[in-house]
Amino acid sequence: MTLALEINDAGLVLARDGQIVAEEPACAMLDGRAPQTGAAAAKRARLQPLFAETRHWQELGTAALPRAMPAATTYADVAYAQLTQLVREAGASGETLYAVPPWYTREQLAVLLGVAREAGLPAAGLVDAGLAAASLEPAPVTVVQLELTLHRAVVTALDHAGE
């Protein structure tokens, strides 16, 4: 059983053996004791936008949240809460291949590895999301991949020679 998780600041997509098993928006509500994440948080965010958090995957790290709460004081805490909920709802755990945003720094990748391990989805590997998307189909020598996320747009130019 192979797990793969695509992460971007718009949402998470978890697949097992090439089939999507869970998909949810990257949204959290920070108005209570513990963060509420995913679709339920996205629905509530329209009614209470001041308590909505949508930057935890973009800003992944140990920086303090603008509005801290007892169970989540950093962006990493919110990301952990979302991954834990995803694991619980999808009934999936084990080594996972991560398709990550191209803008992640080494520090953000380190935080992701720690959060993922603690949530029950230790990393089997990391791959740039643009490269992963381009590898699904035969491609010409140069490919330009446009990724539109919630807070940014990214253009990735991929050149290859041979296989």
Side-chain angles (χ1 to χ4, degrees):
M1 171 175 71
T2 303
L3 291 172
L5 181 64
E6 179 184 4
I7 295 175
N8 74 46
D9 66 346
L12 305 176
V13 179
L14 180 66
R16 179 187 296 124
D17 297 324
Q19 301 298 314
I20 295 175
V21 295
E23 187 172 6
E24 66 179 41
C27 184
M29 289 298 291
L30 304 178
D31 61 343
R33 182 111 178 98
Q36 179 184 34
T37 63
K43 285 181 185 177
R44 290 187 52 221
R46 293 184 192 114
L47 300 174
Q48 296 176 299
L50 290 177
F51 295 108
E53 171 50 50
T54 61
R55 294 185 176 272
H56 54 284
W57 291 109
Q58 176 175 309
E59 304 294 335
L60 183 61
T62 56
L65 291 168
R67 287 179 304 279
M69 56 188 299
T73 59
T74 69
Y75 290 107
D77 292 338
V78 181
Y80 171 75
Q82 184 156 31
L83 269 187
T84 302
Q85 179 178 320
L86 186 72
V87 166
R88 185 175 51 251
E89 290 178 358
S93 63
E95 288 194 335
T96 304
L97 176 63
Y98 286 86
V100 297
W103 65 81
Y104 270 13
T105 64
R106 294 178 119 182
E107 291 79 15
Q108 287 177 303
L109 292 173
V111 170
L112 172 63
L113 293 175
V115 166
R117 184 182 61 245
E118 289 300 314
L121 295 175
L126 300 168
V127 64
D128 178 285
L131 179 61
S135 70
L136 298 176
E137 298 291 331
V141 173
T142 300
V143 173
V144 176
Q145 194 256 351
L146 174 63
E147 183 174 355
L148 301 173
T149 69
L150 190 59
H151 296 289
R152 63 173 75 197
V154 179
V155 176
T156 304
L158 302 166
D159 295 318
H160 75 87
E163 294 297 317

